[in-house]
Amino acid sequence: MSIAVSQIVRYAGTNFDLKDDGFSVNGTLNIFDSLDSYLKTMMLNGGGDKGAASVIPADAALYMGMGFGDFQHFFDELLRMKKEKSKDLESYEHKLRFLEKWLGITVKEHFLSWIGPEVAYVMMAPHDSVNVNDYALVIKTKDINDCKSKLDKVRKRIKRRTPFRVKRTE
């Protein structure tokens, strides 16, 4: 089920600031209190530092960053919202339990525990020689060593249990 923005947002005011090297958008958003939504969940969770732009190439075609007060809290609130509104959550939880048991991991420990206050989606600039766009997900960590350790464990489990191969890049 999709909801139109007009059913979620009561008022939105934005300010576009155009500069030589790009633009920024700032504003105010007032949503209807009676509706649960991603926007409401994000607003209630608070904002986080946004520094991903400093590591994204200047020629990126699209950069969309989201800041969180605490990602685990944000994720828990999304699940709470889905429990109240969706019949699909039971199927999601069943698949998640299966995956966790099969790989011998927990999503909470091996993924959610190290995600920091920001996640950014990036689409790289298209190149003439390549027909496929490159995408990246930039995740700020609470502790880079903890992140590497947990993701390496997941990589090893995937390598052992599946035909998929994880390619490491810098």
Side-chain angles (χ1 to χ4, degrees):
M1 176 181 90
S2 64
I3 298 176
V5 172
S6 62
Q7 294 176 307
I8 299 170
V9 177
R10 181 182 305 221
Y11 168 81
T14 56
N15 176 36
F16 291 88
D17 188 10
L18 188 59
K19 299 177 182 173
D20 289 338
D21 61 345
F23 70 95
S24 65
V25 181
N26 294 304
T28 302
L29 184 65
N30 186 346
I31 62 172
F32 291 106
D33 291 338
S34 60
L35 294 173
D36 273 331
S37 67
Y38 289 102
L39 291 174
K40 184 174 181 181
T41 303
M42 289 178 73
M43 289 173 68
L44 293 174
N45 192 49
D49 295 334
K50 294 182 192 78
S54 65
V55 298
I56 294 172
D59 67 341
L62 173 71
Y63 156 71
M64 184 176 71
M66 294 189 303
F68 308 97
D70 179 272
F71 186 79
Q72 176 66 56
H73 178 66
F74 171 73
F75 189 79
D76 291 343
E77 282 298 309
L78 283 177
L79 288 181
R80 182 198 61 76
M81 176 189 75
K82 290 292 184 189
K83 271 185 185 164
E84 295 174 1
K85 302 282 182 179
S86 175
K87 299 172 187 142
D88 297 333
L89 185 65
E90 188 176 320
S91 172
Y92 162 78
E93 288 177 335
H94 175 73
K95 290 173 186 172
L96 183 63
R97 283 191 303 272
F98 171 79
L99 179 69
E100 288 178 333
K101 186 176 178 182
W102 190 58
L103 289 176
I105 63 167
T106 65
V107 168
K108 190 170 192 168
E109 178 188 345
H110 292 90
F111 289 101
L112 302 180
S113 67
W114 55 261
I115 295 178
E118 181 181 19
V119 175
Y121 169 77
V122 182
M123 185 173 75
M124 302 304 180
H127 297 286
D128 294 335
S129 62
V130 180
N131 262 351
V132 181
N133 288 331
D134 287 330
Y135 298 93
L137 183 63
V138 178
I139 303 172
K140 187 179 271 187
T141 67
K142 295 176 185 175
D143 178 340
I144 190 67
N145 293 324
D146 185 41
C147 169
K148 286 178 179 181
S149 168
K150 289 178 178 172
L151 285 180
D152 194 49
K153 185 175 184 178
V154 172
R155 182 188 59 79
K156 288 175 183 173
R157 297 282 172 98
I158 290 171
K159 184 177 179 179
R160 189 174 61 203
R161 298 287 315 225
T162 71
F164 299 112
R165 296 295 168 244
V166 177
K167 181 179 168 185
R168 295 174 77 159
T169 60
E170 291 295 323

